[in-house]
């Protein structure tokens, strides 16, 4: 494997990581949303039109892509956010299915079944820039009042409501952030692929992103980035054993990680137990409401505690 | 008029397949609390079992169907034993089970591509009579009758099994609350394994019949079923066999009519639009969920 292919793989890994961040953002308030892929589709097609036809500068286009994702998310949040946990997941799956139908049926905008060629190749600097900005945003958000509130909303909505947190508003904010990063990642992905069509932004990508988040760790923003990179680089290293070996291995890793390391590779709770920093873990243990992997490693088993 | 009747017949056959698949998908959701995205891959593996039996041995149609059901049932059991059960023992929530299902889906789909190759194949000639029957000017391929009969058998059989037998009651009790069920003496492990086999076997049946109906053996057979079956389950209501049947057949009819009177491009738009509308406006489906949720 030469240095060029390693770099290109890393680029893909980072962009998948950004898309996974979009999924993480919604998940950080307990919304299991695959709509990020639909937002990525919006961002990608906007990217093609603005760069190829209007020749706008890349930075401006990336900002617009993030903006269109955020607007789409804000509109969707009006109809979707009243749903309960499973139904949010299913409704966003339906949104992804509808996106594909829309892409196929709007050939004037999206090229229909033929797809669109992307001529604008962004330099890796844009990807690194986007990565740094995302890290800054998520690191700041985690330490903010919003970050605290979102953690409570995710862990227990009843507690959140008792504390006077507006659950719907927090979730809406997380959904809009998810939309913005989805749009941004979609635009970057379009420039990496060089060609986009209806199947680029479909269920496979949605599941891979969700998988990347959970593999990396769904309890810290760095997990999404780690998951995105691992999920891209690992198959690349193993390519060529036999057909589809890389994909099959991805699936196996996913199942094994979920069973043996349900909180993912990057898990703040485990850092606390290993390094002994932060709050005591006994105070945090009985957690894991609907929609979140339950229980970190440790001697205390509270298996059927919440019922 | 003939055209309308013809499309009704086509839609009924297609809808029967969707409905059969949806029953299995709903069974696994309602009783194991897993949104099983790998269910389509289970169906594909049923097709693979039937296909390889047919090209290697000269067996009758019924044996091939049975092989498909058993094959996918076995895959379902493996998934339950090696993935869902260990996960359940660790008490991971809904997200965990979806991710594991995604993992299984990736594995099974890609293995299927390795086994079948990327190009679609056809079921061997002459396994099942393909000569259509002419009923008052309407062309009815014999497989259509099998599809419809299979739906009736699966729907009625499973309803009776779940509502009239002790084991069916055990399945429902585990679906309601596993801890309570095991306190009153239900063998939860056995019940969940049987549920997984049943659900996967039903998926295999739908897959094999789809392959015969469309004369298409490929590694993506199950994926189309998954999306339409998912829509049928949501619209009909989870854990509700009657709802799944009505919604599945309804979607099949709607698709046949759309193909005939509107255009191909609208087919998926209408189905998935309906799915989204139901999720937003009436997430419990037409008839509501049978499961009683605790406060």
């Amino acid at each position: 494997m030469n240095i060029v292919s390693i770099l290109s793989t890393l680029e893909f890994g980072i962009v998948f990581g950004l898309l996974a961040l979009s999924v993480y953002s919604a998940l950080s308030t307990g919304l299991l949303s695959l709509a990020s892929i639909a937002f990525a589709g919006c961002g990608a097609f906007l990217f093609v039109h603005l760069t190829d036809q209007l020749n706008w500068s890349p930075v401006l286009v990336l900002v617009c892509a993030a903006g269109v994702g955020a607007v789409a998310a804000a509109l969707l949040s009006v109809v979707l956010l009243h749903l309960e946990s499973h139904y949010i997941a299913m409704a966003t799956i339906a949104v992804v299915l509808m996106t594909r139908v829309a892409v196929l049926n709007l050939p004037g905008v999206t090229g229909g079944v033929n797809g669109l060629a992307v001529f604008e190749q962004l330099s890796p600097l844009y990807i690194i820039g986007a990565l740094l900005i995302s890290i800054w945003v998520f690191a700041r958000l985690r330490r903010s009042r919003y970050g605290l509130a979102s953690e409570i909303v995710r862990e227990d909505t009843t507690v959140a409501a008792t504390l006077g947190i507006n659950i719907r508003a927090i979730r809406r904010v997380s959904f809009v952030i998810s939309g913005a990063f989805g749009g941004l990642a979609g635009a970057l992905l379009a420039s990496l692929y060089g060609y986009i069509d209806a199947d680029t932004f479909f269920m496979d990508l949605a599941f891979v992103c969700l998988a990347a988040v959970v593999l990396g760790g769904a309890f810290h923003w760095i997990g999404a980035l780690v998951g995105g990179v691992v999920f891209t680089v690992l198959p690349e290293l193993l390519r060529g054993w036999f057909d589809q070996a890389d994909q099959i291995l991805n699936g196996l890793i996913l199942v094994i990680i979920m069973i043996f390391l349900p909180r993912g590779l990057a898990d703040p709770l485990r850092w606390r137990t290993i390094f002994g920093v932060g709050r005591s873990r006994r105070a945090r243990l009985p957690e894991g409401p609907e929609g979140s992997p339950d229980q970190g490693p440790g001697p205390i088993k509270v298996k059927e505690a919440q019922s | 008029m003939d055209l309308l009747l013809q499309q009704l017949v086509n839609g009924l056959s297609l809808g029967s397949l969707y409905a059969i698949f949806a029953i299995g998908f709903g069974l696994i959701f309602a009783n194991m609390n897993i949104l099983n995205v790998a269910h389509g891959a289970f169906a594909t593996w049923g097709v693979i079992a039937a296909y390889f039996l047919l090209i290697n041995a000269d067996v009758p149609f019924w044996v091939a169907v049975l092989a498909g059901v058993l094959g996918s049932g076995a895959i379902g059991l493996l998934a339950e034993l090696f993935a869902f059960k260990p996960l359940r023992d660790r008490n991971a929530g809904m997200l965990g089970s979806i991710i594991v299902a995604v993992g299984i889906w990736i594995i099974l789909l890609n293995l299927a591509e390795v086994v079948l190759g990327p190009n679609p194949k056809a079921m061997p000639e002459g396994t099942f009579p393909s000569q259509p029957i002419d009923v008052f000017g309407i062309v009815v391929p014999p497989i259509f009758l099998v599809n419809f009969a299979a739906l009736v058998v699966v729907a009625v059989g499973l309803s009776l099994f779940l509502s009239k037998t002790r084991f069916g009651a055990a399945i429902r009790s585990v679906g309601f609350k596993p801890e309570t069920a095991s306190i009153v003496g239900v063998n939860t492990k056995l019940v969940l394994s049987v549920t997984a086999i049943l659900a996967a076997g039903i998926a295999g049946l739908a897959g094999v019949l789809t392959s015969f109906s469309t004369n298409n053996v490929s590694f993506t057979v199950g994926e189309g079923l998954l999306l339409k079956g998912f829509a049928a389950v949501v619209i009909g209501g989870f854990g509700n066999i009657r709802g799944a049947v009505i919604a599945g057949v309804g979607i099949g009819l709607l698709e046949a009519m759309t193909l005939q009177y509107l255009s191909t491009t609208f087919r998926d738009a209408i189905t998935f639009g309906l799915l989204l509308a139901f999720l937003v406006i009436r997430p419990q489906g037409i008839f509501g969920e049978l499961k009683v949720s605790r406060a």
Side-chain angles (χ1 to χ4, degrees):
Chain A
M1 214 173 169
N2 57 11
I3 192 87
V4 177
S5 68
I6 290 176
L7 281 181
S8 128
T9 311
L10 258 183
E11 274 178 19
F12 268 102
I14 291 172
V15 174
F16 278 127
L18 290 178
L19 198 49
L21 263 185
S22 160
V23 176
Y24 164 80
S25 171
L27 202 56
S28 70
T29 54
L31 301 171
L32 177 48
S33 157
L34 297 178
S36 299
I37 305 306
F39 307 143
C42 297
F45 284 106
L46 188 79
F47 175 82
V48 176
H49 285 288
L50 292 187
T51 53
D52 287 355
Q53 286 162 18
L54 299 177
N55 260 321
W56 288 15
S57 86
V59 174
L60 191 59
V61 176
L62 289 180
V63 171
C64 285
V68 80
V71 170
L75 292 177
L76 261 186
S77 73
V78 176
V79 286
L80 290 190
L81 288 192
H82 69 278
L83 295 172
E84 292 294 319
S85 60
H86 310 16
Y87 292 110
I88 275 274
M90 292 184 231
T92 54
I93 290 177
V95 168
V96 175
L97 298 179
M98 280 305 278
T99 310
R100 181 171 185 276
V101 173
V103 170
L104 285 177
N105 289 317
L106 293 171
V109 186
T110 63
V113 279
N114 298 321
L116 285 180
V118 187
F119 298 107
E120 178 81 18
Q121 299 282 321
L122 294 181
S123 86
L125 285 178
Y126 288 103
I127 293 175
I128 293 170
L131 174 69
L132 291 178
I133 292 173
S134 313
I135 290 177
W136 183 75
V137 168
F138 275 91
R140 289 291 304 238
L141 278 180
R142 192 177 167 79
R143 296 272 164 233
S144 68
R145 284 166 62 84
Y146 161 79
L148 271 179
S150 70
E151 202 172 336
I152 302 168
V153 170
R154 169 194 198 145
E155 296 297 332
D156 196 329
T157 44
T158 317
V159 173
T162 326
L163 291 173
I165 294 169
N166 185 341
I167 298 168
R168 189 72 63 82
I170 293 286
R171 288 193 157 159
R172 180 161 295 143
V173 170
S174 80
F175 205 65
V176 170
I177 296 172
S178 163
F181 279 88
L184 176 70
L188 292 172
L189 204 57
S191 114
L192 281 183
Y193 275 138
Y195 168 78
I196 50 174
D197 67 0
D199 287 322
T200 312
F201 300 98
F202 201 44
M203 297 313 295
D204 327 21
L205 185 61
F207 285 139
V208 167
C209 279
L210 181 61
V213 173
V214 177
L215 174 89
F219 291 84
H220 194 286
W221 52 266
I222 204 150
L225 293 172
V226 170
V229 172
V230 169
F231 231 71
T232 323
V233 173
L234 208 59
E236 248 351 274
L237 297 176
L238 296 159
R239 193 173 287 276
W241 279 4
F242 63 94
D243 289 345
Q244 269 83 37
D246 48 338
Q247 292 298 320
I248 294 168
L249 200 86
N250 262 353
L252 271 178
I253 293 173
L254 209 53
V255 174
I256 292 169
I257 290 270
M258 269 330 286
I259 292 172
F260 293 104
L261 214 60
R263 293 175 60 100
L265 295 172
D267 172 13
L269 191 61
R270 193 146 32 86
W271 300 339
R272 289 202 189 103
T273 57
I274 294 171
F275 304 116
V277 293
R279 289 161 282 180
S280 89
R281 59 185 292 273
R282 187 178 293 263
R284 273 179 49 101
L285 238 188
E287 63 181 286
E290 276 291 299
S292 66
D294 202 0
Q295 291 184 19
I300 309 167
K301 291 280 181 210
V302 275
K303 211 168 184 180
E304 284 155 21
Q306 357 91 26
S307 49
Chain B
M1 190 60 199
D2 273 4
L3 208 59
L4 178 70
L5 283 176
Q6 180 67 55
Q7 289 304 333
L8 272 178
V9 170
N10 293 351
L12 206 60
S13 160
L14 188 67
S16 304
L17 296 172
Y18 292 162
I20 297 173
F21 186 88
I23 290 173
F25 187 78
L27 184 69
I28 226 171
F29 185 90
N31 295 305
M32 297 174 71
N33 209 7
I34 298 168
L35 182 63
N36 184 19
V37 297
H39 214 67
F42 289 176
T44 309
W45 276 88
V47 174
I48 290 175
Y51 175 72
F52 278 97
L53 187 67
L54 277 174
I55 58 170
N56 289 318
D58 190 23
V59 293
F61 172 74
W62 307 108
V63 178
V65 172
L66 193 65
V69 172
L70 293 179
S72 60
I75 299 270
L77 181 62
L78 288 178
E80 157 68 13
L81 291 183
F82 289 106
F84 294 133
K85 186 179 169 300
L87 193 73
R88 204 175 301 116
D89 292 344
R90 274 154 224 273
N91 213 3
M94 189 221 12
L95 180 62
S97 67
I98 292 185
I99 299 294
V100 161
V102 169
I104 297 171
W105 171 68
I106 295 176
I107 297 171
L108 289 180
L109 184 70
N110 285 287
L111 274 180
E113 192 177 350
V114 171
V115 172
L116 280 176
N119 299 319
K121 297 176 171 51
M123 284 290 182
E125 290 263 339
T127 315
F128 192 75
S130 54
Q131 189 63 42
I133 309 164
D134 195 337
V135 186
F136 305 118
I138 302 160
V139 185
V140 183
I143 191 76
F144 282 19
L145 303 176
V146 178
N147 294 345
F148 195 65
L151 172 63
V152 173
V153 169
V154 168
V156 174
L158 194 67
S159 308
L160 289 179
F161 176 63
L162 287 179
S163 58
K164 301 286 182 208
T165 64
R166 276 176 67 86
F167 202 87
I171 289 182
R172 283 183 292 135
S173 70
V174 171
F176 180 63
K177 194 141 177 51
E179 292 86 356
T180 321
S182 61
I183 287 170
V184 297
V186 174
N187 183 348
T188 22
K189 277 183 204 160
L190 177 72
V191 164
L192 286 166
S193 297
V194 171
T195 312
I197 296 175
L198 262 180
I202 293 172
L205 177 67
V208 174
L209 292 179
T210 307
S211 270
F212 272 106
S213 304
T214 57
N215 203 16
N216 170 28
V217 178
S218 84
F219 67 97
T220 53
V221 168
E223 303 309 300
L225 276 178
L226 176 69
L227 297 181
K228 301 299 162 60
F230 172 59
V233 167
V234 170
I235 294 172
F238 285 97
N240 187 326
I241 295 177
R242 182 181 54 159
V245 170
I246 291 176
V249 172
I251 289 174
L253 287 174
L254 205 61
E255 292 199 341
M257 293 304 155
T258 320
L259 274 180
Q260 180 66 39
Y261 295 105
L262 289 168
S263 81
T264 328
T265 49
F266 280 115
R267 194 182 65 169
D268 287 356
I270 289 182
T271 308
F272 296 145
L274 213 56
L275 166 66
L276 191 56
F278 261 92
L279 277 169
V280 171
I281 297 160
R282 195 176 157 79
Q284 70 273 41
I286 305 177
F287 298 111
E289 280 182 75
L290 277 187
K291 274 178 74 173
V292 187
S293 63
R294 65 200 145 89

